[in-house]
Structure formats: C-alpha cells, structure tokens
Amino acid sequence: VFQKWVNREISNFDYLIQLNTMAGRTYNDLAQYPVFPWILRDYTSEELDLNNPAVFRDLSKPIGVVNEKNAKAVKEKYVPEHSNFEDPLGMIDKFHYGTHYSNAAGVMHYLIRVEPFTTLHIQLQSGRFDCADRQFHSIPATWQALMDNPNDVKELIPEFFYFPEFLENQNGFNLGQLQISKEVVNDVVLPKWAHSPEDFIYKHRKALESEYVSAHLHEWIDLIFGYKQRGPAAVEALNVFY
C-alpha cells in the first residue's frame, strides 16, 4: 500500500482509509473511528487558493500546537510541577493533552445531524441535546476554537471529505440557539469560499489531494500512526496523550 501511495497509484484519501484500517480503526466502533487530519487553516477567505501554502495547516505539528501560542502551555503541562492535574499516587504517565484527537463523543459531535448519531448523542446527554453553544454549528468557528484552546485537540473524520449531508439539518432537529448571538443552530455554517455543502466537500477533497498535502501528509501520519506516537520522539513533538 505504501509503495502504491508513493507511486501515486492511490489517492491520499484511500491511503488514509487503509492506514486507519490497518491500525484497527473502523466505522463499526465509535471509540476507534477512522481519524483524518485538519488540512486547511483558511476558513475566512472568499476564495480558496490551493496553490498558496499559507492556506494549509502545518501537518508536522499536533493540532493542539498548530497555533504557536499554545505550545508553551502544552509544554508546561508535561512538567508535573507546572501541571494543574492532580495525581496523588504518582501513577499516571506525564502527558501534553488530557483528551484525545479521536473519541466517540467527538464523532457524535460532528455527525449530530444524521442518524444514528443523533440518537446516540441524545443518549450520551441523558435524553436531550447538549446546549447549543457546545454543538458543532460552524466550520470556521470550530477551527478558531481549536486555535484558541490547547485543550481542544479533535482532528476530523472521513465524512468531511465525501459526505455533504452531515452538514445539513435535513431532519429539522431543534438544536437550540447560541446564548450570545441568539443565532439558531441549524445547518452547519460553512467557510466563505464554500457555496454549498457539496461545494465544501468538493474543495476540501481537492485540498486533501493537493500537491502541498501530498508532500507533507507523511508528517501527520508519523504523529498519528507512526514513530512519533510514543517515547522521546512523541515528547519532542508535543504529542503525548493521557
């Protein structure tokens, strides 16, 4: 598979799906759901210029420190005397992030508008929808929250590259309204450069298969599936998870 990918006989999308499968990730288990990277950092421009390297996320860094500003806080968390994490028995290994880049709640968060994930989300929230401010309501706002908060380290799921329906509230669920702006949470708010959910998926998939991502995807793979998952390489890369 690796050689086929290097020879460009299979797409970046297919290679990531195969890596996820080899790593034991599967659509049948929300706790081991396939994980895909955030690949863009530009969610505000009117047009998306895939020839400009500045529109892409730095794939060599974990999502928690793509924003340089967060790196200091993340480094300090790893040093126990700076950490506000209580471990009275001293049994827990040190870590940079107390949450994970992929978990069941995160999958339900992204897919809340489509069944069976809607029902699973409601079960998780004791029989109701979570408050509107915590819902997945906007792609630009989700990216901004990641940049502002080193504790939010969710990567993406494959649906962001092929499934426009998850961005639409086709079932008309009442997801509440945002506290401050009073905006009703309905379809997911898209970046300015996307004119419809289909257009978002088309451009996002194009970005995944772009020359820039093809040249840098292996850096992200090292973090998630490769040698930077554990040990000194993980510590150096600020990539140690609880």
Side-chain angles (χ1 to χ4, degrees):
V1 174
F2 174 68
Q3 209 44 59
K4 273 190 168 164
W5 178 61
V6 170
N7 297 344
R8 304 207 169 186
E9 289 164 25
I10 59 173
S11 66
N12 292 336
F13 181 88
D14 286 335
Y15 186 51
L16 286 172
I17 285 286
Q18 299 212 29
L19 279 178
N20 272 285
T21 304
M22 285 187 262
R25 290 184 167 274
T26 165
Y27 286 108
N28 302 324
D29 181 355
L30 290 185
Q32 293 290 336
Y33 207 77
V35 57
F36 267 57
W38 283 93
I39 53 170
L40 294 170
R41 60 183 313 145
D42 179 357
Y43 296 95
T44 52
S45 299
E46 301 285 340
E47 296 292 325
L48 181 65
D49 177 8
L50 295 179
N51 294 316
N52 177 4
V55 306
F56 293 97
R57 164 241 178 130
D58 182 344
L59 286 158
S60 69
K61 292 178 178 165
I63 196 69
V65 289
V66 164
N67 183 349
E68 238 353 275
K69 284 203 205 79
N70 295 337
K72 184 172 176 285
V74 167
K75 271 191 192 124
E76 283 184 351
K77 199 190 260 180
Y78 190 75
V79 182
E81 53 270 27
H82 294 303
S83 178
N84 54 13
F85 180 77
E86 292 295 324
D87 176 23
L89 300 175
M91 303 286 284
I92 294 168
D93 290 339
K94 294 185 288 185
F95 58 84
H96 292 121
Y97 311 102
T99 55
H100 204 243
Y101 51 76
S102 165
N103 59 39
V107 176
M108 291 178 230
H109 174 74
Y110 286 139
L111 295 176
I112 187 168
R113 289 164 180 77
V114 288
E115 290 288 17
F117 304 96
T118 314
T119 298
L120 290 166
H121 167 90
I122 289 168
Q123 285 170 356
L124 181 73
Q125 297 295 333
S126 315
R128 57 187 172 73
F129 283 115
D130 194 4
C131 83
D133 286 78
R134 287 201 289 264
Q135 303 291 16
F136 173 49
H137 73 276
S138 157
I139 293 173
T142 300
W143 174 257
Q144 198 47 54
L146 278 179
M147 291 304 96
D148 295 342
N149 178 6
N151 300 316
D152 185 356
V153 293
K154 276 193 293 295
E155 289 279 12
L156 297 183
I157 52 176
E159 282 81 353
F160 275 83
F161 299 93
Y162 66 81
F163 185 51
E165 286 79 2
F166 89 102
L167 298 167
E168 297 175 283
N169 186 14
Q170 291 184 352
N171 295 315
F173 294 123
N174 178 1
L175 299 170
Q177 57 185 153
L178 305 180
Q179 267 173 325
I180 295 171
S181 68
K182 300 293 178 227
E183 186 190 339
V184 172
V185 176
N186 191 22
D187 294 347
V188 176
V189 177
L190 302 172
K192 284 184 186 163
W193 46 256
H195 308 302
S196 66
E198 290 74 16
D199 189 46
F200 170 80
I201 296 289
Y202 171 74
K203 287 173 179 160
H204 202 215
R205 181 70 171 262
K206 209 169 166 178
L208 178 63
E209 302 303 340
S210 69
E211 199 50 53
Y212 179 90
V213 174
S214 298
H216 293 275
L217 189 57
H218 66 281
E219 297 169 349
W220 183 82
I221 289 168
D222 287 342
L223 295 168
I224 306 292
F225 300 107
Y227 77 104
K228 290 184 178 175
Q229 291 177 82
R230 293 205 172 84
V235 176
E236 196 181 333
L238 303 181
N239 194 42
V240 179
F241 290 84
Y242 171 53

